[in-house]
Amino acid sequence: MLSRDEYLAEWSRWHGGTDPAASRLVHGWLSLAYALARALSWLPPLAATALGLLVALAAVGPAVAGGAWLIAGGLLVGLSGLLDSLDGALALAGGRASRRGYVLDSAVDRLTEAAYALALWAAGAPGWLAAVFGALCWLPDYLRARAGQAGVAETGSISVWERPTRVAMTGFTVGGAGIVAATGLDAAAGVDGGPALVVTAGAAVGALLGLVGTAQLGVSLRRALGD
């Protein structure tokens, strides 16, 4: 298996030369995935990909149940994100990376992000806001893919709205709403519908980060594309 530095270099090569050290969150997330991959080197990457999708879909159930169950929903979202990074770490660090696996992993990422948006809506976010959140999860990677088809080798600099941020925002939002429901913090503060307010606020902040991140990426890709 590759060393951590070799794995990070390989990740950069598969992602258009993007330097993971440019973001502490991304660098830390990838380092955690690498540590898990070393411990689970026997696991096929495809199995981790499938399990990550199933766990993301399973997070919708606790979101529908509401109340303290939202804590479980937030934990499942975080676990699905780790599994998604684990499959890439298993493939790259174990020398099993392929173009087919790369495309499949990207497709599964978009499906899990649709599940995140659905979980936010089920937990109390307005439907239009959850849809905007989901669309802004998809848009940056769509732009990168289209730029790649136009001949851009680099995928753009790391923005504030990369995959780890999307997972963290969804997980903390849903789980935080569950903590409010379980502890009665909203009732103590004299606020009605506290969990729904937490989910709505979290989805709104996520959408704002998505707009900022997409703008950052747009500036980077515009330079790469030229006129």
Side-chain angles (χ1 to χ4, degrees):
M1 177 171 279
L2 300 179
S3 68
R4 191 189 68 165
D5 289 342
E6 290 172 334
Y7 157 67
L8 292 174
E10 190 70 5
W11 182 91
S12 177
R13 186 178 71 83
W14 277 88
H15 291 80
T18 301
D19 182 8
S23 168
R24 290 185 178 181
L25 177 59
V26 172
H27 187 272
W29 187 269
L30 293 175
S31 297
L32 175 58
Y34 173 76
L36 291 173
R38 285 190 63 89
L40 300 171
S41 58
W42 49 268
L43 184 68
L46 182 59
T49 300
L51 188 56
L53 176 58
L54 291 175
V55 171
L57 293 172
V60 178
V64 172
W69 283 104
L70 292 172
I71 298 175
L75 292 174
L76 287 172
V77 167
L79 178 58
S80 73
L82 283 176
L83 286 168
D84 168 64
S85 295
L86 173 62
D87 65 359
L90 287 167
L92 293 174
R96 291 176 282 182
S98 67
R99 290 184 296 177
R100 182 173 58 182
Y102 181 77
V103 172
L104 176 63
D105 180 59
S106 297
V108 170
D109 284 352
R110 306 293 77 78
L111 293 175
T112 59
E113 286 163 354
Y116 296 165
L118 185 58
L120 289 171
W121 172 68
W128 67 267
L129 182 57
V132 169
F133 182 98
L136 288 169
C137 286
W138 285 39
L139 185 56
D141 292 281
Y142 174 78
L143 291 174
R144 284 186 169 116
R146 294 296 290 174
Q149 291 177 337
V152 176
E154 298 181 0
T155 56
S157 58
I158 292 179
S159 73
V160 298
W161 191 236
E162 300 299 335
R163 174 77 172 165
T165 309
R166 302 167 202 166
V167 174
M169 279 302 306
T170 307
F172 282 125
T173 295
V174 175
I179 292 174
V180 169
T183 59
L185 289 176
D186 54 339
V191 177
D192 293 329
L197 290 176
V198 170
V199 174
T200 300
V205 171
L208 179 60
L209 288 174
L211 288 172
V212 173
T214 302
Q216 289 177 316
L217 178 62
V219 170
S220 177
L221 291 179
R222 182 179 180 182
R223 294 196 191 106
L225 289 166
D227 296 331

